[in-house]
Amino acid sequence: MASIKLERLVKNYGSFRAIKGIDLSIEDGAFVTFVGPSGCGKSTLLRMVAGLEEISGGTLKIDDEVVNELEPRDRDIAMVFQDYALYPHMSVAENIGFGLKMRNMDASEIDQRVKEAADILQIAPLLHRKPGQLSGGQRQRVAMGRAIVRRPKVYLFDEPLSNLDAKLRVDMRTQIKRLHQLLRTTTIYVTHDQVEAMTLADHIVILKDGMIMQQGQPVSVYEKPISRFVGEFIGSPKMNIISATVADADAETVLENDSFSLKVADCGKVPGETIEVGIRPEHLIPCNKEEALITARVDVLEPLGSDTHAICLVGKQELTARLDPSLALKPGDILYLRAEPEKIHFFDPESGARLEIDLPQQIAA
Ligand SMILES: Nc1ncnc2c1ncn2[C@@H]1O[C@H](COP(=O)(O)OP(=O)(O)OP(=O)(O)O)[C@@H](O)[C@H]1O
Ligand SMILES: [Mg+2]
């Protein structure tokens, strides 16, 4: 196992700076996920850790040793890619053991490690088959097996599940988490799927344009996003953002638009300025008219069985509420909604930065 430190790490592709000075400390045994939109630099950063991409600036340390110039094969890292190529003419066992064979490991030792990995991944009955005789998820596990048998200091995964169907993805996600609980090997896992990023990680890193937007425990990022970007990126369905104008009502600040009204303590804005209010779909609670923060008109209903997503209109703005499926609603209905004060977020409309604004105890308009 190993700790990994990234210090002001930079990557230039010609004149384009893909990674813009990243500081990150990964503890021994941690499971870290990199998540962010396409092109934000996730793969580049991972490949820099692997040694597959030259480092343009800054320092990369593994176990406090600078490894900037160390060859990939000397870093004791195993990487699993999205497009894992298995050798079609070799059996599953030969595929898994191939890397060890290339390192001239003793055949009985290889055999032993392959069996062990196959047990962990529950593919022992498939060891004699060829890759062409396997399902996508089984092939994926063979690719993981190749990484496991190496027993490296660090695992790097780059979207390893993105070729699988939804159900297999969820199954494999559980497998990967179980594997980490068992082996406790330091792991970095790249994904653009925020659910995967949240559920797997001890520590989540949200990237955008080659920079870290926020990092921390998944739940703390979810509860306290540092910006509108992070608030909307983490959580599904995504956070509702309602734009409201600051009105001056009897020395109290009121944020409002046509169908929304909220009293807040001093928000540092003058009447006429706007603020963005963020509330997650799961934090909207149906209530009576007197308690309502938001008056919404139901537009589309999406029943999922476990809950129902109500896509509503608040004035001209769209909003999603995650509701109990037993609620009898139909399109066109008026829905009164409230939220607990600690579940309401505020963002600056220009910078998108989180604003710390206090709400009075009584939040009803
Ligand atoms: N070899 C290269 N030469 C020039 N630019 C590159 C090269 N590789 C990547 N880039 C650019 O660097 C940026 C980061 O790319 P990267 O592959 O790391 O993104 P990513 O976050 O992994 O995206 P995705 O989710 O689509 O895989 C992108 O703008 C990409 O176009
Ligand atoms: Mg990528």
Side-chain angles (χ1 to χ4, degrees), residues 56-357:
S56 313
T59 311
L60 174 69
K61 291 179 183 165
I62 298 179
D63 282 336
D64 290 324
E65 185 197 339
V66 178
V67 297
N68 285 39
E69 304 299 330
L70 204 62
E71 289 293 323
R73 64 170 174 277
D74 298 325
R75 292 189 188 191
D76 198 11
I77 280 173
M79 187 154 168
V80 181
F81 299 91
Q82 174 180 350
D83 301 306
Y84 43 91
L86 302 178
Y87 300 109
H89 57 285
M90 289 184 196
S91 70
V92 167
E94 286 165 335
N95 264 286
I96 295 177
F98 186 69
L100 303 180
K101 197 172 165 193
M102 293 324 299
R103 279 155 206 252
N104 298 317
M105 189 181 276
D106 188 63
S108 63
E109 170 78 17
I110 295 177
D111 202 42
Q112 160 103 26
R113 287 204 189 186
V114 169
K115 285 216 174 74
E116 228 176 77
D119 281 341
I120 292 172
L121 295 165
Q122 296 169 23
I123 49 171
L126 309 176
L127 282 174
H128 62 280
R129 288 207 204 164
K130 299 273 166 65
Q133 301 167 306
L134 302 176
S135 74
Q138 291 167 338
R139 252 177 268 160
Q140 177 64 58
R141 276 180 274 172
V142 176
M144 304 251 303
R146 280 199 305 212
I148 291 176
V149 287
R150 298 249 325 268
R151 292 184 197 160
K153 282 206 282 196
V154 178
Y155 287 124
L156 303 179
F157 294 103
D158 193 352
E159 311 227 18
L161 307 185
S162 49
N163 290 335
L164 306 182
D165 70 41
K167 179 168 179 334
L168 258 177
R169 275 186 87 120
V170 174
D171 287 350
M172 283 303 295
R173 197 170 79 200
T174 311
Q175 290 273 8
I176 290 173
K177 190 149 190 174
R178 191 173 282 142
L179 193 68
H180 182 254
Q181 285 169 3
L182 192 73
L183 302 175
R184 290 283 159 206
T185 307
T186 310
T187 301
I188 309 178
Y189 187 104
V190 163
T191 177
H192 63 264
D193 178 343
Q194 56 92 20
V195 176
E196 227 166 80
M198 289 284 286
T199 50
L200 284 169
D202 321 310
H203 190 92
I204 186 171
V205 177
I206 295 124
L207 293 160
K208 189 185 169 207
D209 298 335
M211 289 178 287
I212 294 181
M213 296 290 111
Q214 189 168 3
Q215 56 171 305
Q217 287 178 357
V219 173
S220 30
V221 172
Y222 169 86
E223 285 176 350
K224 215 165 184 185
I226 205 169
S227 64
R228 173 180 169 160
F229 171 79
V230 175
E232 287 190 295
F233 198 80
I234 298 299
S236 175
K238 76 172 185 184
M239 182 187 275
N240 297 298
I241 303 287
I242 302 161
S243 168
T245 307
V246 178
D248 202 13
D250 302 334
E252 272 186 312
T253 309
V254 178
L255 303 176
E256 63 181 10
N257 65 34
D258 295 346
S259 313
F260 171 84
S261 180
L262 173 64
K263 283 180 194 155
V264 297
D266 182 22
C267 64
K269 301 260 174 190
V270 299
E273 285 191 294
T274 55
I275 281 189
E276 286 181 338
V277 182
I279 308 175
R280 296 191 183 280
E282 56 273 35
H283 296 148
L284 285 166
I285 309 163
C287 60
N288 56 39
K289 189 174 180 182
E290 289 66 45
E291 297 175 302
L293 175 70
I294 297 166
T295 307
R297 183 180 295 277
V298 177
D299 191 26
V300 174
L301 290 164
E302 294 177 344
L304 297 169
S306 56
D307 43 35
T308 294
H309 295 166
I311 294 104
C312 307
L313 294 172
V314 178
K316 290 198 186 80
Q317 306 183 55
E318 203 174 89
L319 164 154
T320 303
R322 206 177 80 190
L323 304 173
D324 192 308
S326 65
L327 251 125
L329 283 174
K330 55 184 189 312
D333 283 355
I334 295 293
L335 189 60
Y336 297 110
L337 297 164
R338 65 179 188 88
E340 296 298 332
E342 70 275 12
K343 308 287 193 206
I344 303 177
H345 310 266
F346 299 97
F347 304 108
D348 186 277
E350 262 107 62
S351 68
R354 181 184 188 83
L355 302 170
E356 290 302 343
I357 297 175

